Structures are given as C-alpha cells and as structure tokens.
Amino acid sequence: MIRNDWSVEEITKLYHQPVLDLVYQAASIHRQYHDPNEVQVCTLLSIKTGGCPEDCSYCSQSVRYQTGVQVHKLLPVAEVLEKAQNAKDSGSTRFCMGAAWREVRDNRDFDQVLEMVKGVNQIGLEVCCTLGMLTDAQARKLKDAGLYAYNHNLDTGEAYYDKVITTRTYQDRLDTIGRARKSGISVCSGGIIGLGETHQDRISMLHTLSNLEEHPESVPVNALVAIEGTPLEEQKRVSVWDMLRMIGTARITMPQSIVRLSAGRLEMTEEEQALCFLAGANSIFAGDKLLTTPNPETDQDKMLFQTLSLKPREAFKDKMSVNV
Ligand code: SAM
Ligand code: DTB
Ligand code: SF4
C-alpha cells in the first residue's frame, strides 16, 4: 500500500531499528514492488558548469567558492546529443542534463536546452534535466519538448536547510517540484547525507518526501562528495550503515519509487554497493563522471552487474505499465 500519511515517529522507528532488521524489512518490501535484480542505469552530463550564483555549501559550481572547477557555458546541442548516444551505446536508459543555474530564464539558452531534450528523447533515452527553479510555463515547454523527468532535490531536512543554503528557501524547492508534477513530468527528488546534519534532519527529509501527495518517481540518495574550497571540504565520509538506513527507510516509506544510489559510489566497495541494492536501491549513475567529480569506471560497473547478475532496467518501463 502506498501511504502519504507517515508520521515522524513512524519513520524514526523504521530508521533507528537494528540495521539488519531494517535491511531485511526493506528488502522484503522491495521484492513486492520491484524485480530485485533489476537496476536502472543513468548517465549524467553537466551541460553548463560553474559560475552559479547560489551558495549551496556542498557544491563545486557556486561562484562563491574557489574549487578549481572547469567552468564552461552551455554546450552545443550536437555535442550533447553525441554524449547521449554514447551513453545509450554503453547501456544507459536515462540521460540527465545538469546546469549550474539558480533558475531557468526564458532566453536562447533555454531554447537550446529544449532542442537537447527533443534530441535525447528521439535517441530513445528517458530524458531528465536539473536546471534549478522553474515557472509553470517553462515546465510546460519542457514537457512539450519530451522531457521525461525533472530532478530537484530537497537536499536535507527543512530545519537544517538554511545551514546549507541561504540563497533560496525550502518552500522554493517544494514549489518547483510541484510545478514539474503539475505539468505531467516525472519527479526525481532526494537529498544528500554527510552535510553535518543529524539523523533527525535526515528523517525529516524522508518525512517530507514520503508525505508528498504523490511520491517522487525517483529518489536519489547522495553521499556528500566533499569538495576542496567549499565550506564542507572537511566533512567526514558517511558510513555505509548510514547509507543503508537512508536507502532502506526510503524504500519502506516510498515502496514504488526508484531509489538511486547516487553520488559517493566511488568510495564504496562492491560489497557495500551490493548491500545498498539489497536494501532497496535500484538505480545508479554510470559513466566515469558525475557532474564535476569522478564516478566508478564503466568497465568496473559492468563487472559489478555481472558478479551480482543484475540486469539494467529498460527505458520507459513506468510508461509502459501505465499503458497496459
Ligand atoms: N543547479 C541545479 C540545482 O541545484 O537544482 C541543478 C544541479 S545540482 C548540482 C543537483 C544536485 O546535485 C544538488 O541538489 C545536490 O543534491 C547534488 N549535489 C551537488 N553537489 C554535490 C556533492 N558535492 N555531493 C553530493 N551531491 C551533490
Ligand atoms: C543527484 O541527486 N545527484 C546528481 C544529480 N542528482 C544531478 C549530482 C551529483 C553531483 C555530485 C558532485 C559533482 O559531481 O559535482
Ligand atoms: Fe548552483 Fe545547483 Fe550547485 Fe546549488 S547545487 S550551487 S544551485 S549548481
């Protein structure tokens, strides 16, 4: 049963139960809703890097921090489509384009992004964008161009949000997610752990996500990639146990959603990643780069899939099951 009336107490109990009980419960629910050997493979591309006016304290792309990131303006459409074709050829079924913008503006860059969306859709990939805040009209234009999903993370719990970002509010975030939803675009929203937040902040974020009128179709769980030059450069790496608690609790509270083991895989062993799949993660970012930081090599991931007998999820599976 899909619920959106979870209480904080219920989620706290789920999250803090003995970790192996949590993994067992999450794995059992995972099997009721998903093929446990199926994992979605997504590729990320930063189509516009750096120079962002926001002050997200984890991010390599904010103008406020000296991170040495290779800044570039919006990539040409042809280059993006070539990268999308390569992603498809190497086995990805979703292609996510990220821009270091505070919000979308109605200008030539946006028109160019709409061309990219059309092109990636024509290649036969689920096309996703993460471009910052959106208006209703922009969401509609993206939808009309063939956009499948929009990524906009809550990042952390509401009470901790202004310790991480001051240039926009939690409500701004929720409003954009609502606009994507209203336009019929599939919603991708999750967060990051390891920002210095408490367990209660993490639980609070899961509470907000799992009580949305409709759960996000995908929920990325990122482990902070600590970036030199940002205020969070000294943060300690999160433990696999914390990742398991986050993934397992997301799986139990949002059983139908795809839970993505996102940033931070490079630091994880194959065994740790396997535990995350057991706890209900069923999507990854593949390709040797996330947006600006490294990710496991394609060959290494291919071996992991072989070792665990995982099969990649086909594109547009959700759409197909709706049509049946
Ligand atoms: N500028 C847009 C925005 O913020 O919505 C889109 C791109 S932004 C880089 C997308 C998401 O990536 C962020 O919301 C955050 O959750 C995640 N992210 C960014 N930097 C990260 C890092 N160093 N470690 C982990 N996750 C990160
Ligand atoms: C998400 O939740 N994680 C991705 C994607 N959505 C856009 C981004 C991870 C970024 C990690 C740091 C970097 O490579 O800059
Ligand atoms: Fe800009 Fe997005 Fe990075 Fe925040 S997370 S600084 S909005 S690119």
Side-chain angles (χ1 to χ4, degrees):
M1 211 188 51
I2 307 300
R3 288 180 48 193
N4 40 27
D5 60 352
W6 293 97
S7 70
V8 172
E9 293 70 33
E10 278 177 298
I11 300 177
T12 306
K13 249 199 192 143
L14 290 172
Y15 181 96
H16 282 299
Q17 67 184 307
V19 71
L20 295 182
D21 287 346
L22 173 59
V23 170
Y24 179 75
Q25 189 184 356
S28 311
I29 290 178
H30 188 47
R31 270 142 222 268
Q32 288 170 24
Y33 288 85
H34 303 270
D35 174 348
N37 295 314
E38 187 178 274
V39 171
Q40 181 190 49
V41 182
C42 316
T43 294
L44 271 173
L45 177 68
S46 183
I47 56 173
K48 185 267 177 188
T49 308
C52 183
E54 300 279 80
D55 69 352
C56 313
S57 53
Y58 48 76
C59 188
S60 62
Q61 304 196 62
S62 165
V63 275
R64 302 178 193 227
Y65 321 126
Q66 302 244 299
T67 62
V69 78
Q70 280 244 323
V71 173
H72 65 80
K73 55 183 203 309
L74 192 64
L75 296 177
V77 177
E79 190 177 332
V80 171
L81 297 187
E82 196 188 313
K83 294 257 164 63
Q85 186 62 53
N86 293 343
K88 186 177 186 197
D89 295 344
S90 69
S92 278
T93 54
R94 178 173 288 205
F95 190 70
C96 179
M97 302 183 281
W101 289 334
R102 169 181 166 75
E103 74 243 307
V104 172
R105 302 258 171 87
D106 296 299
N107 56 16
R108 274 201 303 210
D109 274 4
F110 183 44
D111 295 339
Q112 206 168 306
V113 170
L114 293 172
E115 288 308 307
M116 293 172 192
V117 169
K118 276 186 202 142
V120 174
N121 195 28
Q122 272 163 13
I123 290 173
L125 288 161
E126 292 178 14
V127 51
C128 175
C129 279
T130 181
L131 313 169
M133 292 187 257
L134 287 179
T135 63
D136 283 321
Q138 290 162 345
R140 252 193 323 273
K141 279 190 182 168
L142 285 164
K143 171 72 185 171
D144 291 346
L147 189 73
Y148 192 77
Y150 198 74
N151 165 253
H152 204 64
N153 290 338
L154 289 181
D155 284 344
T156 190
E158 185 166 12
Y160 196 65
Y161 195 75
D162 64 3
K163 308 282 180 302
V164 182
I165 300 141
T166 70
T167 48
R168 53 164 193 255
T169 65
Y170 214 62
Q171 192 56 49
D172 289 335
R173 255 0 229 181
L174 289 166
D175 289 348
T176 296
I177 292 169
R179 291 192 183 116
R181 168 66 73 217
K182 209 169 69 191
S183 310
I185 300 168
S186 158
V187 170
C188 170
S189 187
I192 313 177
I193 62 172
L195 306 168
E197 74 286 349
T198 61
H199 291 293
Q200 213 45 49
D201 294 317
R202 297 175 187 172
I203 289 164
S204 163
M205 180 181 89
L206 290 172
H207 180 245
T208 306
L209 290 170
S210 61
N211 282 343
L212 290 172
E213 213 167 299
E214 271 182 85
H215 293 165
E217 281 76 6
S218 45
V219 179
V221 177
N222 294 278
L224 174 74
V225 181
I227 312 261
E228 225 184 289
T230 65
L232 296 178
E233 64 182 356
E234 304 279 4
Q235 281 296 311
K236 257 194 23 225
R237 181 160 98 77
V238 300
S239 76
V240 68
W241 314 119
D242 284 12
M243 279 305 266
L244 287 172
R245 287 191 189 281
M246 223 35 212
I247 289 169
T249 312
R251 170 51 66 225
I252 296 166
T253 52
M254 296 173 277
Q256 220 156 37
S257 304
I258 286 186
V259 176
R260 186 168 304 114
L261 171 57
S262 304
R265 272 195 321 116
L266 193 61
E267 270 78 46
M268 294 173 81
T269 64
E270 293 198 328
E271 292 81 356
E272 288 172 343
Q273 295 181 57
L275 273 173
C276 291
F277 297 136
L278 184 63
N282 57 350
S283 176
I284 58 164
F285 287 121
D288 55 11
K289 210 166 167 199
L290 291 164
L291 288 175
T292 67
T293 63
N295 196 41
E297 298 286 336
T298 308
D299 286 353
Q300 228 173 307
D301 280 340
K302 291 234 154 98
M303 261 166 45
L304 178 63
F305 270 54
Q306 226 170 30
T307 306
L308 300 177
S309 306
L310 297 176
K311 47 180 192 274
R313 178 188 169 99
E314 57 195 303
F316 305 108
K317 200 175 168 191
D318 279 343
K319 240 188 186 165
M320 290 189 289
S321 57
V322 171
N323 292 339
V324 173

